């Protein structure tokens, strides 16, 4: 396992994923019944953007640091995400954002395989009895931890995409997780480097038999160079009411703040499969 999220924390892909995650969590909280969150690839929970991994790559300067500087977004569709980032201090990873939005009876289970990152996360949330941290394989956890007793849940799947099989793993994991928990809201992040791989993944999901799927994506440029992270997407199964409109507004504002105006930049919200 070579991937360490500390090198990428706060980049545009994190902003995209986390801004949509915050909206999804607020949608889950519309109903009073408690919900469960499974964060299958959790990372360490927060990241010091002034420390060496982040300063070496400078990825946050094209992401959260640029977004925070664009004060105009403070009361727009990104307001809830920006406010949480400001409130939580160190750049919050998905477990910290989720923790901040849990209500007293909601629960969070995090899986993280890297031994150091697992320990860091376990220590970070040790005092919160609503959170369990597992050194457990994400794909196995989709079988083992679903369905949750709460019967309502959000599953965030955020793999590192270190190897070529990750799109396959993701499609299989979504199909398996959905078979275990048909009413769950599944949010799966994917990179857009080369379009062919993304199209193959979306086609596999379209043909999977899983219903009610939307893919929200952002492109910083035309994806001509597969060595670069040209954009990314979040595929959502069972999206909450009004997700498509909210995602369009969030990603459009994000691109306005962090886009560099390169040819081909844009936002797309695609309904892959109807309800
Ligand atoms: C993209 S990072 C997660 C970032 C985190 N979700 C966030 O938004 O703050 C992916 C994480 O998954 C971990 N990981 C990789 N393969 C895994 C697996 N099979 N099961 C669980 N964790 C895994 C990596 O160590 C890494 O910390």
């Amino acid at each position: 396992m070579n991937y360490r999220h500390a090198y990428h924390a706060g980049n545009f892909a994190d902003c995209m994923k986390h801004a949509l995650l915050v909206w999804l969590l607020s949608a889950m909280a519309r109903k009073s019944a408690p919900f469960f969150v499974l964060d299958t690839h959790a990372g360490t929970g927060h990241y010091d953007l002034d420390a060496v991994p982040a300063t070496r790559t400078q990825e946050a300067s094209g992401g959260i640091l640029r977004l925070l500087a664009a004060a105009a977004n403070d009361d727009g569709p990104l307001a809830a995400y920006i406010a949480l980032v400001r409130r939580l201090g160190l750049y919050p990873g998905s477990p910290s954002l989720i923790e901040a939005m849990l209500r007293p009876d909601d629960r969070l289970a995090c899986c993280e395989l890297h031994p150091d990152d697992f320990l860091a996360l376990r220590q970070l949330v040790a005092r919160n009895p609503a959170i369990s941290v597992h050194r457990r394989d994400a794909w196995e956890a989709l079988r083992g931890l679903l369905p949750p007793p709460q019967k309502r849940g959000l599953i965030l799947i955020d793999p590192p995409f270190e190897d070529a099989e990750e799109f396959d793993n993701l499609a299989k994991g979504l199909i398996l997780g959905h078979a275990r928990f048909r009413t769950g809201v599944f949010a799966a992040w994917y990179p857009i480097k080369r379009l062919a791989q993304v199209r193959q993944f979306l086609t596999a999901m379209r043909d999977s038999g899983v219903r009610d799927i939307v893919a929200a994506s952002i492109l910083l440029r035309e994806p001509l160079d597969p060595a670069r992270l040209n954009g990314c997407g979040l595929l959502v199964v069972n999206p909450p009411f009004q997700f498509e409109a909210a995602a369009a507004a969030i990603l459009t504002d994000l691109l306005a703040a962090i886009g560099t105006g390169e040819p081909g930049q844009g936002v797309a919200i695609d309904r892959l499969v109807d309800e």
Side-chain angles (χ1 to χ4, degrees):
M1 297 183 66
N2 293 320
Y3 183 92
R4 309 302 300 276
H5 196 65
Y7 289 91
H8 309 290
N11 67 3
F12 83 92
D14 259 8
C15 296
M16 180 274 188
K17 166 190 8 176
H18 292 156
L20 294 179
L21 172 65
V22 166
W23 187 89
L24 288 169
L25 288 161
S26 64
M28 296 297 294
R30 281 180 205 147
K31 290 188 187 152
S32 57
F35 61 81
F36 168 76
V37 185
L38 173 59
D39 188 346
T40 60
H41 298 74
T44 61
H46 66 190
Y47 302 90
D48 184 351
L49 298 182
D50 294 324
V52 166
T55 53
R56 189 171 295 163
T57 61
Q58 295 283 318
E59 287 191 25
S61 56
I64 190 62
L65 299 178
R66 192 179 299 174
L67 180 59
L68 290 176
N73 285 303
D74 267 30
D75 36 11
L78 289 159
Y81 164 62
I82 290 174
L84 265 185
V85 172
R86 289 208 163 110
R87 173 154 78 80
L88 295 172
L90 292 183
Y91 185 74
S94 48
S96 295
L97 292 166
I98 298 164
E99 179 180 26
M101 296 187 71
L102 291 182
R103 302 161 307 166
D105 292 328
D106 300 331
R107 295 290 176 266
L108 165 63
C110 299
C111 298
E112 172 54 52
L113 264 191
H114 193 288
D116 297 344
D117 290 0
F118 161 75
L119 286 176
L121 178 59
R122 194 172 65 171
Q123 194 176 357
L124 180 70
V125 300
R127 287 211 203 104
N128 190 337
I131 305 179
S132 56
V133 182
H134 309 261
R135 186 158 178 229
R136 187 168 183 170
D137 176 60
W139 311 117
E140 183 276 317
L142 287 167
R143 191 188 303 276
L145 297 179
L146 298 180
Q150 292 84 350
K151 308 282 183 232
R152 302 183 61 224
L154 170 66
I155 297 91
L156 175 67
I157 310 178
D158 182 20
F161 282 86
E162 272 183 307
D163 49 47
E165 294 98 67
E166 204 76 295
F167 271 110
D168 251 17
N169 296 338
L170 185 53
K172 285 185 189 137
L174 278 164
I175 293 165
L176 168 79
H178 179 262
R180 303 274 307 154
F181 184 30
R182 286 187 186 278
T183 56
V185 177
F186 290 79
W189 182 87
Y190 56 89
I192 303 179
K193 290 185 170 180
R194 60 180 94 228
L195 271 186
Q197 281 177 322
V198 176
R199 286 200 186 116
Q200 223 174 346
F201 166 64
L202 297 180
T203 302
M205 290 311 301
R206 197 179 279 130
D207 297 344
S208 66
V210 175
R211 302 212 59 79
D212 200 4
I213 308 180
V214 171
S217 60
I218 185 165
L219 269 182
L220 292 187
R221 65 189 76 84
E222 217 176 318
L224 298 176
D225 179 357
R228 299 181 77 187
L229 185 61
N230 299 301
C232 59
L234 194 76
L235 181 133
V236 182
V237 177
N238 294 326
F241 180 58
Q242 292 177 329
F243 173 73
E244 285 151 282
I250 287 169
L251 297 188
T252 301
D253 260 29
L254 181 61
L255 194 58
I258 64 163
T260 56
E262 289 176 75
Q265 75 169 30
V267 163
I269 311 294
D270 298 310
R271 176 158 277 282
L272 298 185
V273 187
D274 288 332
E275 283 178 54

